[in-house]
């Protein structure tokens, strides 16, 4: 699922398959409702479940 608009699974899944040992797609992504400044997602793939955190969009505060 890319309905979150924040995860491009078309690019992420091939990257993870190449760089994360044992990772196998296909995968879906679901955004956690809670969380502070970093968007956090549950990735469910053929090889298991993973947590993905992204840096927030926009300009970061110095205190971040």
């Amino acid at each position: 699922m890319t309905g979150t608009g924040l995860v491009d699974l078309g690019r992420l899944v091939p990257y993870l398959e190449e760089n994360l040992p044992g990772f196998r797609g296909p995968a879906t992504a679901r955004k956690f409702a809670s969380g502070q400044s970093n968007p956090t997602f549950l990735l469910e793939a053929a090889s298991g479940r993973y947590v993905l955190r992204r840096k927030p969009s926009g300009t970061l505060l110095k205190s971040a």
Side-chain angles (χ1 to χ4, degrees):
M1 165 192 329
T2 56
T4 60
L6 299 172
V7 177
D8 183 349
L9 292 175
R11 291 180 59 196
L12 180 62
V13 169
Y15 174 84
L16 292 176
E17 287 176 332
E18 187 173 318
N19 293 284
L20 183 61
F23 184 91
R24 289 180 293 115
T28 60
R30 183 167 34 116
K31 187 174 186 301
F32 285 100
S34 61
Q36 296 296 322
S37 59
N38 291 38
T40 306
F41 302 87
L42 172 64
L43 296 180
E44 294 184 287
S47 55
R49 296 169 69 183
Y50 306 84
V51 173
L52 171 70
R53 289 184 64 196
R54 287 188 52 139
K55 71 176 188 174
S57 59
T59 305
L60 294 178
L61 300 174
K62 289 183 180 184
S63 62

